[in-house]
Amino acid sequence: MSRFLNAGYAGLAAYVPGEQPQDMQYIKLNTNESPYPPSEHLLDAVSRAEVAKLNLYPDPDCRLLSRAIAARYDVAPECVFLANGSDDILNFCFMGFCESGVIFPDISYGFYEVYANLYGLNYSKIPLDRDFSVDFRDYCGAGRSIVLANPNAQTGKAISVGQIEQIAASNPDRLVLIDEAYVDFGAQSCVPLTKRYENLLVCQTFSKSRSMAGARLGFAIASPGLIADLNRLKFSTNPYNINRLTQLAGIAALEDGEYYDANCRKIIETRAYVRRELLARGFYVTDSSANFVLARSDRMDGQALYEALKRRGILVRHFSDARIRDCIRITIGTKQQMDALLRKIDEIMGGSI
Ligand code: PMP
């Protein structure tokens, strides 16, 4: 740290992204990326001719992409906001809508707490149930802003749209932010509810189901008032937060819905296969609606299993939070990648029991 940093930031605990090591080729099951590449159509859309236009700023209003998202989700374009990954949207929401305090689950996306600290917010972490479920009643009439990932991060478990509606209806004067980063892998989206609840904001990303983690594109859908607020924050920080190539890639991905839907179906199938195989080996495995599962074995500590897999060329994610430190989080890759994982687990743990 230098002498120049504002005192208020001295104690800031920054978010630690999943590792992206360069030392060797790993089977990467640690950051919930898609194992499938972007579609051919997308590769063509980001053409040499477009790259040649990089001397020009991108459209700060992302009009073509906003319209494409509005059409895909059956909402008005003024209900759509685009940003540099959904992290960018979360940042604006914590910056702009949480001064009366905010709550989120104790086990969820780690960035929520980082943003709450960054903005000096009063926040509480609401414990998940013993089986890692979100109890929606904990959030009804909370009187503070609410941030929920659905499906939830780290566990993959989802709550129903009806439960989210009860949360939104019982907190009419507070923002309810539903982070649907993983919704395309088997949960139900609450986007339609945004037409009826002006306090409900849904954010999604192109990073997972649309194979675009490297392009950085996220979007929010909400009432026009909330979207105007997000734009005010964006235009007060970085209006050009989505580059030209990413805007084009986003439009192309939306035009190729069938390709990405088919990939999601493959991931859902592979998730069921891995879950069955791990259960057969005596693991506890969350009933996930996301592109990952959280798994634990009584026979081996989470940190030790993470390390043993890494030594054998497979990266999974381990968290040090007390409630899940005995677990590993495994991104669902291709069937071949998951078979390699299972073989390594058998090698490490001595086969099925
Ligand atoms: N929300 C959740 C729950 C996540 O797990 C992630 C990614 N790890 C994000 C948001 C951010 O995704 P991105 O910025 O790539 O859109």
Side-chain angles (χ1 to χ4, degrees):
M1 191 169 62
S2 78
R3 299 179 282 124
F4 307 106
L5 185 68
N6 294 351
Y9 295 141
L12 202 60
Y15 178 68
V16 183
E19 61 195 315
Q20 306 282 0
Q22 308 291 330
D23 59 330
M24 60 175 265
Q25 192 76 34
Y26 289 93
I27 294 182
K28 263 194 101 267
L29 307 176
N30 67 329
T31 46
N32 299 341
E33 291 142 325
S34 174
Y36 302 111
S39 66
E40 285 295 320
H41 173 53
L42 187 153
L43 299 184
D44 292 340
V46 184
S47 63
R48 202 181 150 86
E50 285 302 327
V51 176
K53 290 187 202 151
L54 284 179
N55 56 317
L56 302 174
Y57 283 109
D59 173 10
D61 296 312
C62 308
R63 276 162 292 193
L64 292 179
L65 181 52
S66 286
R67 266 186 242 144
I69 290 181
R72 161 68 182 77
Y73 289 92
D74 189 26
V75 295
E78 60 268 27
C79 297
V80 177
F81 173 79
L82 286 143
N84 190 285
S86 45
D87 283 340
D88 213 17
I89 295 167
L90 297 171
N91 179 33
F92 289 134
C93 290
F94 278 86
M95 185 193 293
F97 302 120
C98 296
E99 69 183 1
S100 309
V102 56
I103 57 175
F104 41 84
D106 62 342
I107 303 298
S108 192
Y109 185 32
F111 228 140
Y112 301 156
E113 189 165 13
V114 174
Y115 287 129
N117 283 317
L118 176 64
Y119 295 111
L121 303 173
N122 184 352
Y123 68 94
S124 307
K125 297 194 278 183
I126 310 296
L128 296 180
D129 285 354
R130 275 173 62 85
D131 71 345
F132 292 137
S133 300
V134 167
D135 185 340
F136 78 100
R137 289 166 299 194
D138 291 341
Y139 299 85
C140 290
R144 288 188 278 174
S145 298
I146 292 164
V147 180
L148 282 174
N150 194 49
N152 196 16
Q154 322 328 350
T155 68
K157 295 185 75 158
I159 59 174
S160 71
V161 168
Q163 292 173 341
I164 290 171
E165 177 159 15
Q166 291 190 52
I167 296 172
S170 63
N171 291 284
D173 299 320
R174 293 288 176 262
L175 179 84
V176 176
L177 164 56
I178 304 297
D179 176 350
E180 293 190 346
Y182 300 105
V183 74
D184 295 332
F185 301 104
Q188 220 192 329
S189 172
C190 65
V191 162
L193 289 183
T194 58
K195 292 184 183 169
R196 278 188 282 133
Y197 295 93
E198 61 165 358
N199 60 328
L200 183 64
L201 189 149
V202 179
C203 73
Q204 291 196 15
T205 178
F206 280 63
S207 295
K208 315 294 178 184
S209 57
R210 293 193 177 98
S211 302
M212 274 176 55
R216 315 305 301 128
L217 183 60
F219 63 94
I221 296 181
S223 54
L226 285 175
I227 297 301
D229 294 339
L230 288 173
N231 273 312
R232 185 188 294 239
L233 296 172
K234 160 177 155 160
F235 279 79
S236 304
T237 47
N238 180 7
Y240 300 112
N241 61 348
I242 306 174
N243 70 69
R244 300 183 78 90
L245 304 181
T246 295
Q247 292 194 28
L248 276 178
I251 293 167
L254 288 166
E255 287 166 353
D256 249 346
E258 274 172 34
Y259 170 76
Y260 295 102
D261 289 349
N263 287 346
C264 287
R265 284 195 297 276
K266 279 192 257 180
I267 287 171
I268 291 168
E269 233 170 71
T270 310
R271 179 180 72 210
Y273 166 72
V274 174
R275 186 162 190 267
R276 269 196 316 276
E277 290 294 319
L278 289 173
L279 288 172
R281 288 162 170 80
F283 276 78
Y284 161 84
V285 189
T286 50
D287 188 7
S288 170
S289 303
N291 67 339
F292 56 86
V293 293
L294 189 69
R296 174 179 70 220
S297 164
D298 291 338
R299 291 190 293 154
M300 198 162 183
D301 162 72
Q303 171 83 24
L305 183 51
Y306 153 79
E307 282 170 9
L309 285 168
K310 184 171 178 184
R311 278 194 299 277
R312 288 165 176 79
I314 299 193
L315 277 185
V316 296
R317 188 91 190 254
H318 176 256
F319 297 93
S320 52
D321 310 54
R323 284 189 76 182
I324 54 169
R325 81 160 64 104
D326 48 356
C327 303
I328 54 171
R329 192 195 67 190
I330 307 166
T331 301
I332 306 300
T334 61
K335 170 90 169 21
Q336 290 87 322
Q337 289 177 320
M338 303 325 276
D339 279 333
L341 168 85
L342 293 166
R343 274 195 307 277
K344 296 298 177 190
I345 287 179
D346 288 343
E347 197 179 299
I348 294 162
M349 299 177 64
S352 329
I353 46 175

